[in-house]
Amino acid sequence: MNRNKKRYLMSGVAALAVASFAIGGYAWYKQPAKVPAGPTVEIRRGNLTETAAASGKIEPDVQVEVKSREAGQVIEVLVKEGDTVEAGQLLVRLDPTYAERDLASARVARDRVRADLAAAQASVAVAELERKNNETSQEVAEKSAEMGLGSTDAARTAAHSTKVASANITLRKAQLSASQAQLKTAELAVQDAETRLKETQIYAPIAGTVLDVAVEKGTMVSSALTNVSGGSAVMTLADLSNLRIVGAIDEAQIGRVAPGQRVDIRVDAYGDRVFKGVVDRVSPLGKEVSSVVTFDVEIVVNDKDASLLRSGMSADVEIVTAEQKDVLLVPLLAVQSQGKRRFVRLASGEERQIQTGATDGSQMVVTEGLSEGDDVLASAPVAQSTTGPQGQRPGGGQSQNPMRGMGMGMGAGAPRGGR
């Protein structure tokens, strides 16, 4: 009887164990598959563009501040801001009253010198006639003296008169030369007065656009030639068909920048579009400001819609320093580093070491370790700080002791709760 009871008891225990294993196996079979510890991203091929960023202001390549060479009062302004003008076009008129009076005075002085010159020329002619007459009288007196018909004193007097007439010619010619020089001076004075009269009309030195008009009717302007301050600015002209940007590039990036590189330009006024440009010049000399060394980079705007831009606009530029096409790309946030070692975690939880290349700040080139189509965690997993009893996470997974890798486990054996 006791043996039967023991047999029945052992049979029940065995049946209970079998049932427990069956229930456990069924539960294990029904347990959902392990899901990734975060969003994943599929590794794909694409293009990577490396850029160097800078900022600056849009400026025309040619900009001229127009000043007046003549002082005076503005009586007419013929253009306004935004007008397009041609080279030589009349812009401003000054009061010509004083310039016209100076020109008239110069012409009168020139006419007076011309009259003096004519008188000097006549004096030379008279002196030459007198010398010829005296030379003839001298010959007659000398022959008369030789023949005994005249005295030697008369011959000597005639010779003296001839010498005086010759000296008189030299004097008259000198006066004539002086009159000729005075005439040249008078003519230059007339030309100067004519120029000053013309300078009361201010013309455009270049073809371009009027950026600023600094005067209006009635404004008194000073001469840029005679005023120590440089004279009054009348207006500013610029050739807006050739716009440029001078940006400052940090010394850490300047080694990748070279003339001819493509540039993307953005301005606040047109936030939804990108203008095109090209690097034209890289300054060989750096500038140090607050212990930071930068180099000026001159960029030419060559966009077909460059006319939309305005001089003085602030611009952000991105210089395309390198482009790689059809390369494997991984999000930069998915890449983890440990010393010089870089790795990612696959969707399965596997840690995969990778070799990387260039980055554009959001993506990185993968040269080894991954294949197109691999799924990796889109960002590094965040450690769970809340754990359940015996080191179990709320979801039932085993928690990781952040100190375990530093040899600070609990005892000589396996950590508590582990196998």
mmCIF file of all heavy atoms in Angstrom, residues 357-402:
data_model
loop_
_atom_site.group_PDB
_atom_site.id
_atom_site.type_symbol
_atom_site.label_atom_id
_atom_site.label_comp_id
_atom_site.label_asym_id
_atom_site.label_seq_id
_atom_site.Cartn_x
_atom_site.Cartn_y
_atom_site.Cartn_z
ATOM 1 N N GLY A 357 34.506 57.598 -43.111
ATOM 2 C CA GLY A 357 35.192 58.615 -43.892
ATOM 3 C C GLY A 357 34.713 59.999 -43.533
ATOM 4 O O GLY A 357 34.534 60.328 -42.357
ATOM 5 N N ALA A 358 34.448 60.795 -44.547
ATOM 6 C CA ALA A 358 34.063 62.192 -44.339
ATOM 7 C C ALA A 358 32.644 62.303 -43.801
ATOM 8 O O ALA A 358 31.850 61.349 -43.852
ATOM 9 C CB ALA A 358 34.191 62.967 -45.646
ATOM 10 N N THR A 359 32.320 63.478 -43.280
ATOM 11 C CA THR A 359 30.980 63.763 -42.768
ATOM 12 C C THR A 359 30.572 65.169 -43.161
ATOM 13 O O THR A 359 31.422 66.046 -43.342
ATOM 14 C CB THR A 359 30.925 63.614 -41.242
ATOM 15 O OG1 THR A 359 29.603 63.933 -40.774
ATOM 16 C CG2 THR A 359 31.918 64.534 -40.568
ATOM 17 N N ASP A 360 29.262 65.355 -43.288
ATOM 18 C CA ASP A 360 28.739 66.694 -43.570
ATOM 19 C C ASP A 360 28.031 67.297 -42.365
ATOM 20 O O ASP A 360 27.348 68.300 -42.473
ATOM 21 C CB ASP A 360 27.784 66.653 -44.767
ATOM 22 C CG ASP A 360 26.557 65.795 -44.507
ATOM 23 O OD1 ASP A 360 26.471 65.187 -43.412
ATOM 24 O OD2 ASP A 360 25.687 65.719 -45.397
ATOM 25 N N GLY A 361 28.200 66.647 -41.199
ATOM 26 C CA GLY A 361 27.568 67.145 -39.981
ATOM 27 C C GLY A 361 26.307 66.415 -39.619
ATOM 28 O O GLY A 361 25.888 66.449 -38.459
ATOM 29 N N SER A 362 25.676 65.721 -40.568
ATOM 30 C CA SER A 362 24.480 64.944 -40.266
ATOM 31 C C SER A 362 24.627 63.487 -40.691
ATOM 32 O O SER A 362 24.030 62.600 -40.099
ATOM 33 C CB SER A 362 23.249 65.551 -40.958
ATOM 34 O OG SER A 362 23.426 65.542 -42.363
ATOM 35 N N GLN A 363 25.444 63.219 -41.694
ATOM 36 C CA GLN A 363 25.688 61.865 -42.165
ATOM 37 C C GLN A 363 27.190 61.632 -42.272
ATOM 38 O O GLN A 363 27.966 62.576 -42.355
ATOM 39 C CB GLN A 363 25.037 61.633 -43.530
ATOM 40 C CG GLN A 363 23.531 61.790 -43.534
ATOM 41 C CD GLN A 363 22.933 61.433 -44.879
ATOM 42 O OE1 GLN A 363 22.437 60.341 -45.093
ATOM 43 N NE2 GLN A 363 23.018 62.362 -45.803
ATOM 44 N N MET A 364 27.558 60.344 -42.274
ATOM 45 C CA MET A 364 28.964 59.986 -42.347
ATOM 46 C C MET A 364 29.134 58.849 -43.340
ATOM 47 O O MET A 364 28.279 57.968 -43.454
ATOM 48 C CB MET A 364 29.470 59.582 -40.954
ATOM 49 C CG MET A 364 30.938 59.181 -40.908
ATOM 50 S SD MET A 364 31.515 58.913 -39.212
ATOM 51 C CE MET A 364 31.723 60.603 -38.664
ATOM 52 N N VAL A 365 30.234 58.895 -44.071
ATOM 53 C CA VAL A 365 30.536 57.846 -45.039
ATOM 54 C C VAL A 365 31.057 56.617 -44.304
ATOM 55 O O VAL A 365 31.917 56.730 -43.425
ATOM 56 C CB VAL A 365 31.576 58.339 -46.061
ATOM 57 C CG1 VAL A 365 31.991 57.207 -46.987
ATOM 58 C CG2 VAL A 365 31.023 59.500 -46.863
ATOM 59 N N VAL A 366 30.532 55.441 -44.645
ATOM 60 C CA VAL A 366 31.002 54.162 -44.098
ATOM 61 C C VAL A 366 31.793 53.452 -45.185
ATOM 62 O O VAL A 366 31.269 53.174 -46.263
ATOM 63 C CB VAL A 366 29.827 53.285 -43.635
ATOM 64 C CG1 VAL A 366 30.341 51.962 -43.098
ATOM 65 C CG2 VAL A 366 29.012 54.000 -42.573
ATOM 66 N N THR A 367 33.055 53.163 -44.891
ATOM 67 C CA THR A 367 33.911 52.489 -45.876
ATOM 68 C C THR A 367 34.012 50.986 -45.637
ATOM 69 O O THR A 367 34.213 50.220 -46.570
ATOM 70 C CB THR A 367 35.316 53.110 -45.862
ATOM 71 O OG1 THR A 367 35.857 53.018 -44.527
ATOM 72 C CG2 THR A 367 35.262 54.582 -46.273
ATOM 73 N N GLU A 368 33.861 50.543 -44.374
ATOM 74 C CA GLU A 368 33.920 49.119 -44.044
ATOM 75 C C GLU A 368 32.995 48.842 -42.873
ATOM 76 O O GLU A 368 32.796 49.689 -42.007
ATOM 77 C CB GLU A 368 35.352 48.692 -43.676
ATOM 78 C CG GLU A 368 36.355 48.745 -44.798
ATOM 79 C CD GLU A 368 37.728 48.251 -44.354
ATOM 80 O OE1 GLU A 368 37.802 47.610 -43.287
ATOM 81 O OE2 GLU A 368 38.712 48.517 -45.061
ATOM 82 N N GLY A 369 32.464 47.606 -42.848
ATOM 83 C CA GLY A 369 31.692 47.153 -41.685
ATOM 84 C C GLY A 369 30.203 47.057 -41.919
ATOM 85 O O GLY A 369 29.520 46.334 -41.196
ATOM 86 N N LEU A 370 29.652 47.750 -42.893
ATOM 87 C CA LEU A 370 28.226 47.716 -43.169
ATOM 88 C C LEU A 370 27.993 47.504 -44.649
ATOM 89 O O LEU A 370 28.862 47.787 -45.483
ATOM 90 C CB LEU A 370 27.547 49.020 -42.722
ATOM 91 C CG LEU A 370 27.461 49.281 -41.212
ATOM 92 C CD1 LEU A 370 26.890 50.673 -40.959
ATOM 93 C CD2 LEU A 370 26.628 48.217 -40.511
ATOM 94 N N SER A 371 26.790 47.012 -44.951
ATOM 95 C CA SER A 371 26.391 46.805 -46.341
ATOM 96 C C SER A 371 25.081 47.535 -46.585
ATOM 97 O O SER A 371 24.326 47.830 -45.642
ATOM 98 C CB SER A 371 26.226 45.316 -46.648
ATOM 99 O OG SER A 371 27.432 44.615 -46.413
ATOM 100 N N GLU A 372 24.825 47.828 -47.824
ATOM 101 C CA GLU A 372 23.569 48.480 -48.176
ATOM 102 C C GLU A 372 22.402 47.600 -47.774
ATOM 103 O O GLU A 372 22.388 46.392 -48.036
ATOM 104 C CB GLU A 372 23.527 48.757 -49.671
ATOM 105 C CG GLU A 372 22.339 49.580 -50.114
ATOM 106 C CD GLU A 372 22.384 49.948 -51.584
ATOM 107 O OE1 GLU A 372 23.330 49.501 -52.282
ATOM 108 O OE2 GLU A 372 21.467 50.669 -52.034
ATOM 109 N N GLY A 373 21.413 48.174 -47.101
ATOM 110 C CA GLY A 373 20.251 47.428 -46.643
ATOM 111 C C GLY A 373 20.305 47.051 -45.182
ATOM 112 O O GLY A 373 19.279 46.653 -44.608
ATOM 113 N N ASP A 374 21.454 47.153 -44.514
ATOM 114 C CA ASP A 374 21.547 46.859 -43.086
ATOM 115 C C ASP A 374 20.700 47.847 -42.300
ATOM 116 O O ASP A 374 20.612 49.032 -42.642
ATOM 117 C CB ASP A 374 22.995 46.936 -42.608
ATOM 118 C CG ASP A 374 23.834 45.763 -43.095
ATOM 119 O OD1 ASP A 374 23.223 44.765 -43.545
ATOM 120 O OD2 ASP A 374 25.073 45.840 -43.018
ATOM 121 N N ASP A 375 20.069 47.348 -41.227
ATOM 122 C CA ASP A 375 19.289 48.198 -40.332
ATOM 123 C C ASP A 375 20.102 48.452 -39.069
ATOM 124 O O ASP A 375 20.560 47.508 -38.404
ATOM 125 C CB ASP A 375 17.954 47.549 -39.962
ATOM 126 C CG ASP A 375 16.974 47.559 -41.124
ATOM 127 O OD1 ASP A 375 17.035 48.502 -41.924
ATOM 128 O OD2 ASP A 375 16.178 46.618 -41.247
ATOM 129 N N VAL A 376 20.272 49.715 -38.722
ATOM 130 C CA VAL A 376 20.998 50.080 -37.508
ATOM 131 C C VAL A 376 20.127 51.009 -36.688
ATOM 132 O O VAL A 376 19.198 51.640 -37.200
ATOM 133 C CB VAL A 376 22.339 50.773 -37.841
ATOM 134 C CG1 VAL A 376 23.222 49.857 -38.669
ATOM 135 C CG2 VAL A 376 22.114 52.090 -38.564
ATOM 136 N N LEU A 377 20.446 51.063 -35.383
ATOM 137 C CA LEU A 377 19.722 52.003 -34.528
ATOM 138 C C LEU A 377 20.023 53.422 -34.981
ATOM 139 O O LEU A 377 21.172 53.783 -35.242
ATOM 140 C CB LEU A 377 20.143 51.829 -33.070
ATOM 141 C CG LEU A 377 19.760 50.500 -32.399
ATOM 142 C CD1 LEU A 377 20.170 50.528 -30.929
ATOM 143 C CD2 LEU A 377 18.270 50.226 -32.512
ATOM 144 N N ALA A 378 18.974 54.205 -35.102
ATOM 145 C CA ALA A 378 19.132 55.559 -35.628
ATOM 146 C C ALA A 378 19.934 56.454 -34.706
ATOM 147 O O ALA A 378 20.502 57.450 -35.128
ATOM 148 C CB ALA A 378 17.765 56.193 -35.896
ATOM 149 N N SER A 379 20.006 56.105 -33.415
ATOM 150 C CA SER A 379 20.793 56.872 -32.465
ATOM 151 C C SER A 379 21.277 55.930 -31.384
ATOM 152 O O SER A 379 20.743 54.831 -31.211
ATOM 153 C CB SER A 379 19.978 58.023 -31.854
ATOM 154 O OG SER A 379 18.854 57.523 -31.168
ATOM 155 N N ALA A 380 22.305 56.339 -30.666
ATOM 156 C CA ALA A 380 22.858 55.509 -29.607
ATOM 157 C C ALA A 380 21.794 55.252 -28.550
ATOM 158 O O ALA A 380 21.095 56.174 -28.137
ATOM 159 C CB ALA A 380 24.073 56.189 -28.992
ATOM 160 N N PRO A 381 21.641 53.975 -28.078
ATOM 161 C CA PRO A 381 20.613 53.668 -27.074
ATOM 162 C C PRO A 381 20.906 54.365 -25.759
ATOM 163 O O PRO A 381 22.052 54.534 -25.369
ATOM 164 C CB PRO A 381 20.699 52.151 -26.931
ATOM 165 C CG PRO A 381 22.086 51.798 -27.356
ATOM 166 C CD PRO A 381 22.425 52.770 -28.432
ATOM 167 N N VAL A 382 19.826 54.777 -25.070
ATOM 168 C CA VAL A 382 19.947 55.446 -23.783
ATOM 169 C C VAL A 382 19.836 54.411 -22.686
ATOM 170 O O VAL A 382 18.911 53.581 -22.686
ATOM 171 C CB VAL A 382 18.846 56.519 -23.619
ATOM 172 C CG1 VAL A 382 18.992 57.213 -22.273
ATOM 173 C CG2 VAL A 382 18.942 57.517 -24.752
ATOM 174 N N ALA A 383 20.794 54.431 -21.747
ATOM 175 C CA ALA A 383 20.797 53.447 -20.663
ATOM 176 C C ALA A 383 19.575 53.621 -19.785
ATOM 177 O O ALA A 383 19.161 54.732 -19.484
ATOM 178 C CB ALA A 383 22.077 53.581 -19.845
ATOM 179 N N GLN A 384 18.941 52.458 -19.352
ATOM 180 C CA GLN A 384 17.790 52.469 -18.455
ATOM 181 C C GLN A 384 18.275 52.660 -17.025
ATOM 182 O O GLN A 384 19.170 51.958 -16.562
ATOM 183 C CB GLN A 384 17.020 51.158 -18.574
ATOM 184 C CG GLN A 384 16.427 50.935 -19.959
ATOM 185 C CD GLN A 384 15.162 51.731 -20.157
ATOM 186 O OE1 GLN A 384 14.643 52.318 -19.215
ATOM 187 N NE2 GLN A 384 14.681 51.761 -21.384
ATOM 188 N N SER A 385 17.707 53.611 -16.315
ATOM 189 C CA SER A 385 18.124 53.864 -14.936
ATOM 190 C C SER A 385 17.205 53.216 -13.918
ATOM 191 O O SER A 385 17.557 53.068 -12.761
ATOM 192 C CB SER A 385 18.187 55.375 -14.695
ATOM 193 O OG SER A 385 16.923 55.952 -14.904
ATOM 194 N N THR A 386 15.982 52.838 -14.339
ATOM 195 C CA THR A 386 15.011 52.248 -13.415
ATOM 196 C C THR A 386 15.026 50.744 -13.601
ATOM 197 O O THR A 386 14.820 50.254 -14.704
ATOM 198 C CB THR A 386 13.601 52.792 -13.688
ATOM 199 O OG1 THR A 386 13.658 54.204 -13.611
ATOM 200 C CG2 THR A 386 12.609 52.235 -12.694
ATOM 201 N N THR A 387 15.250 50.001 -12.529
ATOM 202 C CA THR A 387 15.326 48.542 -12.603
ATOM 203 C C THR A 387 14.353 47.927 -11.624
ATOM 204 O O THR A 387 13.959 48.517 -10.621
ATOM 205 C CB THR A 387 16.742 48.063 -12.290
ATOM 206 O OG1 THR A 387 17.112 48.522 -10.980
ATOM 207 C CG2 THR A 387 17.734 48.647 -13.300
ATOM 208 N N GLY A 388 13.977 46.680 -11.929
ATOM 209 C CA GLY A 388 13.078 45.940 -11.064
ATOM 210 C C GLY A 388 13.854 45.142 -10.031
ATOM 211 O O GLY A 388 15.057 45.312 -9.858
ATOM 212 N N PRO A 389 13.196 44.232 -9.345
ATOM 213 C CA PRO A 389 13.848 43.409 -8.326
ATOM 214 C C PRO A 389 14.943 42.562 -8.946
ATOM 215 O O PRO A 389 14.851 42.101 -10.064
ATOM 216 C CB PRO A 389 12.708 42.540 -7.778
ATOM 217 C CG PRO A 389 11.468 43.283 -8.147
ATOM 218 C CD PRO A 389 11.768 43.977 -9.419
ATOM 219 N N GLN A 390 15.971 42.357 -8.210
ATOM 220 C CA GLN A 390 17.108 41.532 -8.576
ATOM 221 C C GLN A 390 17.706 41.950 -9.916
ATOM 222 O O GLN A 390 18.111 41.121 -10.714
ATOM 223 C CB GLN A 390 16.700 40.039 -8.631
ATOM 224 C CG GLN A 390 16.306 39.506 -7.259
ATOM 225 C CD GLN A 390 16.029 38.021 -7.304
ATOM 226 O OE1 GLN A 390 16.064 37.426 -8.366
ATOM 227 N NE2 GLN A 390 15.779 37.435 -6.159
ATOM 228 N N GLY A 391 17.725 43.252 -10.090
ATOM 229 C CA GLY A 391 18.409 43.757 -11.269
ATOM 230 C C GLY A 391 17.642 43.588 -12.543
ATOM 231 O O GLY A 391 18.207 43.715 -13.614
ATOM 232 N N GLN A 392 16.332 43.285 -12.514
ATOM 233 C CA GLN A 392 15.536 43.115 -13.719
ATOM 234 C C GLN A 392 14.933 44.446 -14.136
ATOM 235 O O GLN A 392 14.482 45.225 -13.307
ATOM 236 C CB GLN A 392 14.408 42.102 -13.477
ATOM 237 C CG GLN A 392 14.896 40.705 -13.138
ATOM 238 C CD GLN A 392 15.538 40.045 -14.324
ATOM 239 O OE1 GLN A 392 15.126 40.281 -15.437
ATOM 240 N NE2 GLN A 392 16.563 39.244 -14.079
ATOM 241 N N ARG A 393 14.952 44.761 -15.469
ATOM 242 C CA ARG A 393 14.247 45.933 -15.983
ATOM 243 C C ARG A 393 12.757 45.706 -15.852
ATOM 244 O O ARG A 393 12.279 44.577 -15.762
ATOM 245 C CB ARG A 393 14.623 46.163 -17.453
ATOM 246 C CG ARG A 393 16.041 46.690 -17.661
ATOM 247 C CD ARG A 393 16.137 47.240 -19.064
ATOM 248 N NE ARG A 393 17.482 47.747 -19.308
ATOM 249 C CZ ARG A 393 18.390 47.096 -20.003
ATOM 250 N NH1 ARG A 393 18.095 45.912 -20.515
ATOM 251 N NH2 ARG A 393 19.584 47.612 -20.192
ATOM 252 N N PRO A 394 11.984 46.797 -15.946
ATOM 253 C CA PRO A 394 10.528 46.628 -15.874
ATOM 254 C C PRO A 394 10.029 45.686 -16.949
ATOM 255 O O PRO A 394 9.047 45.006 -16.750
ATOM 256 C CB PRO A 394 10.011 48.059 -16.061
ATOM 257 C CG PRO A 394 11.129 48.933 -15.595
ATOM 258 C CD PRO A 394 12.371 48.218 -15.931
ATOM 259 N N GLY A 395 10.681 45.651 -18.099
ATOM 260 C CA GLY A 395 10.237 44.771 -19.172
ATOM 261 C C GLY A 395 10.737 43.355 -19.020
ATOM 262 O O GLY A 395 10.482 42.499 -19.862
ATOM 263 N N GLY A 396 11.491 43.052 -17.956
ATOM 264 C CA GLY A 396 11.953 41.702 -17.725
ATOM 265 C C GLY A 396 13.355 41.456 -18.171
ATOM 266 O O GLY A 396 13.909 40.396 -17.908
ATOM 267 N N GLY A 397 14.016 42.404 -18.888
ATOM 268 C CA GLY A 397 15.371 42.193 -19.385
ATOM 269 C C GLY A 397 16.397 42.397 -18.285
ATOM 270 O O GLY A 397 16.134 43.017 -17.269
ATOM 271 N N GLN A 398 17.571 41.868 -18.498
ATOM 272 C CA GLN A 398 18.657 41.988 -17.542
ATOM 273 C C GLN A 398 19.264 43.381 -17.613
ATOM 274 O O GLN A 398 19.628 43.852 -18.674
ATOM 275 C CB GLN A 398 19.733 40.935 -17.867
ATOM 276 C CG GLN A 398 20.957 41.026 -16.975
ATOM 277 C CD GLN A 398 20.646 40.618 -15.549
ATOM 278 O OE1 GLN A 398 19.873 39.702 -15.342
ATOM 279 N NE2 GLN A 398 21.200 41.321 -14.584
ATOM 280 N N SER A 399 19.375 44.106 -16.489
ATOM 281 C CA SER A 399 19.997 45.434 -16.485
ATOM 282 C C SER A 399 21.505 45.284 -16.589
ATOM 283 O O SER A 399 22.076 44.283 -16.180
ATOM 284 C CB SER A 399 19.637 46.190 -15.199
ATOM 285 O OG SER A 399 20.203 45.545 -14.071
ATOM 286 N N GLN A 400 22.152 46.325 -17.169
ATOM 287 C CA GLN A 400 23.593 46.323 -17.313
ATOM 288 C C GLN A 400 24.203 47.233 -16.261
ATOM 289 O O GLN A 400 23.802 48.382 -16.121
ATOM 290 C CB GLN A 400 23.995 46.812 -18.709
ATOM 291 C CG GLN A 400 23.532 45.881 -19.821
ATOM 292 C CD GLN A 400 23.963 46.401 -21.160
ATOM 293 O OE1 GLN A 400 24.510 47.481 -21.247
ATOM 294 N NE2 GLN A 400 23.717 45.617 -22.198
ATOM 295 N N ASN A 401 25.144 46.689 -15.510
ATOM 296 C CA ASN A 401 25.833 47.462 -14.492
ATOM 297 C C ASN A 401 26.896 48.304 -15.160
ATOM 298 O O ASN A 401 27.831 47.766 -15.744
ATOM 299 C CB ASN A 401 26.469 46.498 -13.479
ATOM 300 C CG ASN A 401 27.093 47.255 -12.306
ATOM 301 O OD1 ASN A 401 27.226 48.470 -12.364
ATOM 302 N ND2 ASN A 401 27.455 46.513 -11.267
ATOM 303 N N PRO A 402 26.777 49.651 -15.179
ATOM 304 C CA PRO A 402 27.746 50.480 -15.878
ATOM 305 C C PRO A 402 29.149 50.343 -15.314
ATOM 306 O O PRO A 402 30.109 50.694 -15.962
ATOM 307 C CB PRO A 402 27.209 51.912 -15.700
ATOM 308 C CG PRO A 402 26.344 51.852 -14.501
ATOM 309 C CD PRO A 402 25.756 50.485 -14.487
#
